Amino acid sequence: MSPILDLNRRHLLASLGTAAAMAAMPRVSFARTVGDQRFVLIVLRGGMDGLAAVAPYADRDYGSLRGRLALADPNAQGGVLDLNGFFGLNPALADIHPWYAEGQLLVAHAVATPYRDRSHFDAQDLLENGTVTPHGTATGWLNRAIGQLGGGQLEGGAAGRRLGLAVGQGVPLVLRGTAPVASWAPSPLKEADGDFLDRVAALYAGDPLLANALKAGLESASMADHALNADADMSMDGGMADGSAPKAKSVRLDPAQLGETTGRLLADANGPRIAALDLQGWDTHTQQGTTAGRLAGALGNLSKVLVSLRAGLGPAWSQTVVAVVTEFGRTARPNGTGGTDHGTATAAFLAGGAVQGGRVLADWPGLADDRLYQGRDLAPTQDLRALMKGVLQEHLGLDAGALNKAVFPGDGSPAAVPGLIRT
């Protein structure tokens, strides 16, 4: 498990026991900085239907195969948003469609991990551990990549300043490992005032473990408060602008808040540079819909996260790559309840000002019956690991040796896809 420092001080006191245990672990010395490059990994949990998110509307077998889940061509009302004359975006992604023309959105289609079964639990584990075997390791590929970038701490930063950031209530497997990462999540707890924290510090002064844990937590919280302007507006964290106790309510951020908060944390000069977050709602077995319905709602939330993330990053967007991935695709044909079942290949997205976009990367297998994987799924022709290797190599500067041996180990590890990043 990665040592975690929560970037929200409203979680601080509840986490002191965990923080004390972390303080006993060896500290990693400062190493070279990753610079101003940012990388965000968004995991769509549940298995996104790539044929619905990015429809191959010009494939001659598309309409008959998809039936009532087929999207209309770009010339029809409610039709797909054309990309290159063959593929089109689902209209629920309309807000990011202009990014394609700007060269800041790249679609990879018919992609998959090495996993070929249909268990969410196993597929997500393999997606995040970066090997060829579910549960093959207890660490994640993004944490191992951070470890290759100086061990997780940023050069010249305070003890609480970490390169990696987990956004949400827990740390996903992809960010777990020996490299320390920070975390941020909203909380309904009232902020502890300075006098109380001073008394706690005095109480812990004689205990190096607790004193160091408290100090590191406060430094981390200070960084988050600075990035989020928390003193000016606490409502995003579940508190009240006047400092009073929050009312009973859910503190789950809506998609726009989630994206903007992540962007502001990464944009801050003293903030992290690599983040991972999850989006739920992609397991569309029933009533999936086309331009409306369960999937359109999930795609709309993804679009809101991406747009607000760009806004939160501000000028730092030009140095950012956002990768949007999922554990597997869905069946090519609809099932009997208006949905799709667990499949194989799907689509992935790269977005950001650093992306060499405006194109679809696809060795398209076709949708004829004899071209489907096991007669039911979009066939995989690209390895998702190759796409992630290309980003880590060209954008974050990891060398091929580290990528093959440490980040994505195992026999048959594919070569990095070149040319993904602007030069």
Side-chain angles (χ1 to χ4, degrees):
M1 289 285 292
S2 304
I4 306 302
L5 285 179
D6 196 321
L7 294 186
N8 187 333
R9 67 184 173 201
R10 291 151 196 85
H11 287 172
L12 177 62
L13 297 179
S15 304
L16 280 178
T18 301
M22 290 188 282
M25 302 182 70
R27 305 292 282 186
V28 179
S29 60
F30 294 138
R32 69 178 180 88
T33 178
V34 72
D36 290 326
Q37 310 308 314
R38 276 82 167 177
F39 176 63
V40 181
L41 179 71
I42 301 177
V43 179
L44 309 180
R45 297 196 182 273
M48 181 187 72
D49 186 350
L51 293 174
V54 184
Y57 70 88
D59 186 300
R60 64 182 183 181
D61 297 299
Y62 169 74
S64 59
L65 179 72
R66 297 293 281 178
R68 54 181 166 168
L69 292 186
L71 290 160
D73 68 43
N75 296 319
Q77 184 176 2
V80 298
L81 307 172
D82 184 55
L83 295 175
N84 63 358
F86 187 88
F87 295 100
L89 279 185
N90 189 295
L93 295 172
D95 287 344
I96 66 169
H97 183 237
W99 297 4
Y100 188 85
E102 296 169 4
Q104 299 186 46
L105 177 66
L106 181 150
V107 177
H109 220 317
V111 300
T113 71
Y115 185 73
R116 293 294 178 270
D117 294 315
R118 294 180 170 85
S119 161
H120 288 302
F121 187 69
D122 289 347
Q124 290 179 20
D125 190 279
L126 187 141
L127 169 69
E128 296 180 81
N129 76 36
T131 72
V132 297
T133 307
H135 318 292
T137 178
T139 66
W141 62 262
L142 190 52
N143 186 279
R144 297 194 297 272
I146 290 171
Q148 297 295 314
L149 294 168
Q153 289 187 314
L154 292 170
E155 184 175 338
R161 188 183 178 206
R162 303 295 171 85
L163 176 60
L165 172 69
V167 179
Q169 299 297 334
V171 179
L173 172 60
V174 73
L175 271 179
R176 297 179 200 164
T178 58
V181 300
S183 69
W184 180 87
S187 170
L189 300 179
K190 184 179 179 180
E191 178 182 356
D193 61 37
D195 179 66
F196 176 77
L197 292 175
D198 287 343
R199 294 186 183 196
V200 173
L203 180 65
Y204 290 166
D207 188 320
L209 291 180
L210 291 175
N212 288 336
L214 180 61
K215 179 176 181 293
L218 290 174
E219 288 171 341
S220 185
S222 177
M223 182 194 73
D225 282 353
H226 178 267
L228 300 176
N229 292 318
D231 291 336
D233 180 8
M234 304 308 300
S235 60
M236 193 177 342
D237 294 314
M240 307 299 286
D242 62 2
S244 60
K247 297 178 181 179
K249 63 177 182 178
S250 170
V251 296
R252 183 176 180 179
L253 293 181
D254 68 31
Q257 288 178 315
L258 180 67
E260 183 181 4
T261 300
T262 303
R264 289 168 65 186
L265 286 167
L266 293 172
D268 188 74
N270 293 316
R273 291 294 176 263
I274 296 172
L277 59 94
D278 298 340
L279 291 180
Q280 308 289 337
W282 304 91
D283 197 17
T284 51
H285 286 285
T286 61
Q287 302 302 314
Q288 177 174 305
T290 52
T291 59
R294 294 181 60 195
L295 182 62
L299 289 170
N301 285 338
L302 171 61
S303 184
K304 290 175 183 176
V305 168
L306 291 170
V307 170
S308 58
L309 177 65
R310 180 174 182 172
L313 280 160
W317 174 257
S318 66
Q319 297 165 306
T320 297
V321 173
V322 184
V324 181
V325 302
T326 191
E327 69 261 34
F328 48 52
R330 309 196 70 81
T331 49
R333 295 183 182 86
N335 60 27
T337 59
T340 51
D341 298 320
H342 300 173
T344 307
T346 184
F349 302 96
L350 295 180
V355 173
Q356 187 66 43
R359 54 203 172 114
V360 178
L361 297 182
D363 179 10
W364 190 243
L367 296 177
D369 286 349
D370 62 352
R371 302 297 296 170
L372 298 178
Y373 178 73
Q374 296 184 343
R376 54 174 276 169
D377 301 337
L378 176 64
T381 59
Q382 297 188 78
D383 194 314
L384 183 62
R385 295 172 298 168
L387 198 69
M388 296 300 98
K389 280 185 176 183
V391 172
L392 295 176
Q393 184 170 323
E394 294 184 352
H395 186 56
L396 298 184
L398 273 71
D399 62 60
L403 288 169
N404 292 329
K405 293 179 181 178
V407 181
F408 292 104
D411 295 336
S413 186
V417 176
L420 299 176
I421 305 302
R422 294 179 186 272
T423 57

